Amino acid sequence: LLSKSLIEFSNGLPDQFKFNGKTGKLLLRSYAEKLGFEDSFFNQKKQGFTFPVSKWLRTALRSKLDDLLNREEWHEEGLIDFEVLSELKSEHLSGKRDNHRILLNLMAFRGWRRHFQQVGI
């Protein structure tokens, strides 16, 4: 629905095809009805979209997780108790608990520290 040609087409439509005073997306609604969508489809509450970060930390981002949360860097700086970090990571990877928020924050912090160590700040 975000193609340039579709946007240009919809912008060129007269207002009566887009909005009738209280309901929007009239042309889209009409087409969806012809495809067999029920009225309840249009009356659903809006739903947010979240990224599956929890899963990604166990799969696609696993090597990044291991790299950024390695023992040596954390131990050298003494900023946090590595045993606690290790437990958080282990619980998350095993599926016992969803610790993605704290793990992602610690990964971002480590990435930030690495960057600013390199630039000498």
Side-chain angles (χ1 to χ4, degrees):
L1 293 177
L2 295 177
S3 73
K4 183 179 177 186
S5 59
L6 182 61
I7 292 170
E8 288 170 348
F9 170 76
S10 62
N11 283 339
L13 288 171
D15 287 342
Q16 69 261 20
F17 288 116
K18 299 184 217 176
F19 189 75
N20 73 358
K22 72 177 197 178
T23 303
K25 302 177 188 170
L26 294 176
L27 193 59
L28 183 61
R29 288 173 186 267
S30 175
Y31 183 65
E33 285 175 16
K34 287 180 181 177
L35 292 177
F37 286 88
E38 301 285 328
D39 285 340
S40 62
F41 176 78
F42 300 106
N43 298 321
Q44 296 179 35
K45 288 184 176 181
K46 284 190 173 188
Q47 298 176 5
F49 174 77
T50 58
F51 294 97
V53 175
S54 186
K55 179 182 175 185
W56 290 347
L57 289 175
R58 291 185 193 98
T59 57
L61 292 176
R62 173 65 190 269
S63 61
K64 194 60 131 170
L65 174 76
D66 290 338
D67 173 48
L68 290 168
L69 301 184
N70 71 64
R71 179 179 193 89
E72 293 78 27
E73 287 178 274
W74 290 100
H75 183 70
E76 286 173 12
E77 292 180 344
L79 295 174
I80 65 167
D81 183 342
F82 186 79
E83 299 308 318
V84 173
L85 172 58
S86 182
E87 182 66 21
L88 289 169
K89 185 177 162 186
S90 176
E91 287 176 346
H92 184 81
L93 294 174
S94 71
K96 184 177 177 183
R97 289 185 77 181
D98 182 3
N99 294 323
H100 82 271
R101 285 189 175 95
I102 191 165
L103 293 173
L104 195 60
N105 282 322
L106 289 168
M107 289 170 68
F109 176 72
R110 171 57 55 211
W112 177 84
R113 294 277 294 174
R114 282 182 183 174
H115 173 75
F116 284 103
Q117 279 180 336
Q118 290 175 356
V119 295
I121 296 176

